Amino acid sequence: MTSTNSSFPEQIELKGEGLVLRDWTEADLAAMPGLFDHPDIAYWTPIVSPFDDAAARARLDRDRKLRAEGTAILLAITVDGGAPLGEVMLRRAPEGTEIGYAVGPAHRGRGLAARAVRVMSAYAFEQLGAEQVILELEAENAASVAVATKAGFRLLDVPLITGEEKGRPFRLQTWGRTRS
């Protein structure tokens, strides 16, 4: 289910479905708090909260470290390669190739997350040789369930992932999409 952990390319730009998924840059640091410092993102994701300028710097540095290790890539979601509207992540993990996403509150309702997940899934299948990609999300997160469904994922019959983060318990369902 997982692919080899060779390094990711130093630069990645993925195009499709009216989107350009591109590397985060130093120029994006000022925009990141406006995208990620929001109660929904704080509640449903592991992204730090509050998300300020220091958190943006730490996130960009962490992105670069994870990519160099061949563990994960985090790409800005854009429509034209310009201003970031959110983020899509691909992580290589023992349980499989996982995708995650967050869209800034001002940019929701445009199908950005589902489209970004489909583009990132295609990259995982075509470039990384993944046989399946997964999403891990809470059933109560109706917006993420809608993204999973719109992106062609189905709920897998696997045990829930349970834990605690940011002082609250969570129960994650695993959704999957296989190479077609």
Side-chain angles (χ1 to χ4, degrees), residues 19-32:
L19 299 178
V20 177
L21 308 180
R22 62 158 177 82
D23 295 317
W24 286 104
T25 68
E26 299 287 328
D28 296 321
L29 288 171
M32 292 171 87

Side-chain angles (χ1 to χ4, degrees), residues 55-75:
R57 172 85 262 161
R59 189 154 186 89
L60 182 61
D61 292 345
R62 182 173 174 263
D63 166 35
R64 292 174 175 166
K65 178 179 181 281
L66 292 172
R67 181 180 300 196
E69 295 170 351
T71 304
I73 52 173
L74 289 78
L75 300 177

Side-chain angles (χ1 to χ4, degrees), residues 136-154:
E136 295 174 345
L137 53 97
E138 295 182 62
E140 297 82 14
N141 186 343
S144 279
V145 170
V147 167
T149 303
K150 289 176 188 171
F153 285 70
R154 64 179 177 78

Side-chain angles (χ1 to χ4, degrees), residues 148-171:
T149 303
K150 289 176 188 171
F153 285 70
R154 64 179 177 78
L155 183 60
L156 301 179
D157 187 17
V158 299
L160 292 173
I161 301 164
T162 60
E164 185 175 313
E165 191 162 51
K166 298 181 185 175
R168 76 170 190 91
F170 63 79
R171 295 168 28 109

Side-chain angles (χ1 to χ4, degrees), residues 47-117:
I47 294 174
V48 300
S49 179
F51 195 97
D52 56 15
D53 292 340
R57 172 85 262 161
R59 189 154 186 89
L60 182 61
D61 292 345
R62 182 173 174 263
D63 166 35
R64 292 174 175 166
K65 178 179 181 281
L66 292 172
R67 181 180 300 196
E69 295 170 351
T71 304
I73 52 173
L74 289 78
L75 300 177
I77 299 170
T78 77
V79 293
D80 58 5
L85 310 175
E87 175 176 87
V88 63
M89 176 270 308
L90 181 142
R91 180 176 73 96
R92 292 173 168 151
E95 61 274 11
T97 302
E98 178 187 359
I99 295 176
Y101 48 87
V103 173
H107 310 292
R108 295 181 185 160
R110 298 166 46 190
L112 296 169
R115 290 187 285 154
V117 167

